[in-house]
Amino acid sequence: VSLVAGLLRVPALEEPAALAGALSLFRAMYVNLRGELRGQTEVVISALYLAPLEDKNSPEVVKEVVLEGLADLCALPAFLADLYVNFDCNLSSPNLFERSAKLLCKSSFPVSGVLTTSHLLSFAALCRGLDAICLRCDGAASAGADAA
């Protein structure tokens, strides 16, 4: 818990390298301890990943680091499913899957007509997430076919 509290102090620094390290550390924690980090996952996703993307005043380099980190999480086969099941399906929790998906979709489209790195990173995160969902579905279909 104190490690997560330390991670939450990183955005105040707005140092991209420190933020990238914090996001990488959270990803490693999530991969190894995801069952025990539900409450911390909600706080970290909201504060470290979604808040900088929603803040119009966040520097572009910070948004790029966050989008790269979010793309890495979206590539994990269970991440988006976990967000949906543990948060969106729970009436007392925030809709983290919906919020993430909306942000990535909105950030993928260049409103001004100028394509930036952030647009490409958002699109890449969406694609990685969809690939992970497809792999998960293919795995479930294969397991069902093997059982029959």
Side-chain angles (χ1 to χ4, degrees):
V1 175
S2 62
L3 186 56
V4 171
L7 289 176
L8 295 175
R9 291 192 199 111
V10 171
L13 302 174
E14 291 191 3
E15 178 60 43
L19 180 58
L23 298 179
S24 179
L25 179 60
F26 175 73
R27 183 187 182 281
M29 289 171 57
Y30 178 83
V31 166
N32 294 296
L33 302 169
R34 86 172 192 222
E36 287 116 47
L37 290 178
R38 186 165 179 250
Q40 292 87 349
T41 297
E42 176 182 337
V43 172
V44 171
I45 295 295
S46 294
L48 286 183
Y49 290 89
L50 301 180
L53 296 176
E54 293 171 331
D55 184 4
K56 304 279 186 221
N57 296 324
S58 286
E60 193 65 25
V61 67
V62 169
K63 289 182 180 183
E64 289 174 7
V65 167
V66 169
L67 286 167
E68 287 174 359
L70 192 53
D72 288 343
L73 281 175
C74 287
L76 299 173
F79 177 71
L80 291 175
D82 284 349
L83 281 188
Y84 183 73
V85 169
N86 292 323
F87 299 102
D88 293 52
C89 291
N90 184 341
L91 296 176
S92 63
S93 295
N95 293 339
L96 293 181
F97 173 83
E98 178 184 355
R99 194 170 150 204
S100 300
K102 282 183 177 179
L103 258 171
L104 289 173
C105 287
K106 182 180 167 190
S107 300
S108 295
F109 187 74
V111 177
S112 65
V114 177
L115 191 62
T116 65
T117 303
S118 290
H119 296 120
L120 297 173
L121 289 169
S122 297
F123 186 70
L126 283 171
C127 290
R128 282 183 170 180
L130 290 173
D131 283 343
I133 290 170
C134 287
L135 288 172
R136 189 175 169 100
C137 290
D138 288 344
S142 296
D146 292 340

